[in-house]
């Protein structure tokens, strides 16, 4: 839509201004005039300080099927919220093939909790969705 195009143009203008004042010494005097943050629906949440949560250590051997099962079950139990054995959110688990194999081994379990359906694999970082 035309409104979206105007927003995109405004965002690009801000990006270009940031680049120019950051990399061209002659324009650095305008740094205080440049908008460094986009306006969006989640600004207040983004301003709040993040909290760190230590995930702890597990004494498991990730090279064995049994060890991987212990790790995946612990992550599923500790970090995936369930209500009536159904996941409220799904948690992305860094995805080595062993994790995928472990999750595949419980695909026929009775409940979503036992099937660990609150976990999904991906090859990047640990995220919540």
């Amino acid at each position: 839509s035309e409104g979206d195009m105007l927003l995109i143009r405004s965002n690009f203008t801000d990006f270009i201004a940031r680049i120019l004042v950051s990399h061209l010494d002659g324009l650095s005097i305008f740094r205080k005039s440049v908008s460094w943050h986009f306006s969006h629906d989640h600004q207040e949440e983004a301003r709040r300080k993040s909290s760190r949560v230590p995930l702890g250590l597990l004494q498991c051997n990730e090279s064995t099927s049994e060890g991987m099962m212990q790790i995946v079950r612990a992550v599923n139990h500790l970090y995936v919220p369930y209500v009536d054995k159904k996941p409220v959110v799904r948690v992305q688990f860094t995805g080595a093939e062993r994790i995928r194999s472990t999750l595949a081994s419980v695909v026929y379990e009775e409940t979503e909790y036992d099937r660990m359906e609150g976990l999904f694999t991906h090859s990047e970082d640990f995220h919540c969705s």
Side-chain angles (χ1 to χ4, degrees):
S1 75
E2 190 170 329
D4 289 337
M5 293 306 292
L6 290 173
L7 180 61
I8 290 171
R9 182 178 295 153
S10 172
N11 289 343
F12 279 131
T13 302
D14 289 342
F15 273 139
I16 292 168
R18 290 179 205 167
I19 291 167
L20 292 175
V21 301
S22 296
H23 297 286
L24 297 177
D25 293 336
L27 297 178
S28 64
I29 60 172
F30 298 108
R31 283 184 71 81
K32 292 182 181 178
S33 302
V34 172
S35 171
W36 292 94
H37 301 283
F38 288 113
S39 297
H40 55 83
D41 294 341
H42 304 286
Q43 282 180 193
E44 292 305 315
E45 295 166 16
R47 282 188 185 130
R48 281 190 245 135
K49 183 165 174 56
S50 299
S51 60
R52 292 186 180 191
V53 178
L55 298 179
L57 296 174
L58 299 172
Q59 297 295 321
C60 304
N61 183 352
E62 69 272 6
S63 297
T64 66
S65 296
E66 181 182 320
M68 281 307 300
M69 183 61 78
Q70 289 173 336
I71 292 167
V72 174
R73 284 195 191 281
V75 169
N76 185 58
H77 176 72
L78 295 170
Y79 305 112
V80 180
Y82 284 87
V83 172
D84 296 326
K85 296 209 174 204
K86 295 181 186 235
V88 176
V89 297
R90 296 179 68 219
V91 174
Q92 180 178 326
F93 201 98
T94 54
E97 187 59 35
R98 283 175 277 188
I99 296 167
R100 285 188 202 84
S101 298
T102 301
L103 291 174
S105 73
V106 294
V107 73
Y108 297 112
E109 294 293 326
E110 190 172 320
T111 67
E112 291 178 41
Y113 178 82
D114 293 332
R115 290 189 298 268
M116 296 185 268
E117 290 184 5
L119 295 173
F120 67 99
T121 60
H122 198 277
S123 59
E124 293 175 13
D125 295 323
F126 186 87
H127 298 281
C128 292
S129 68

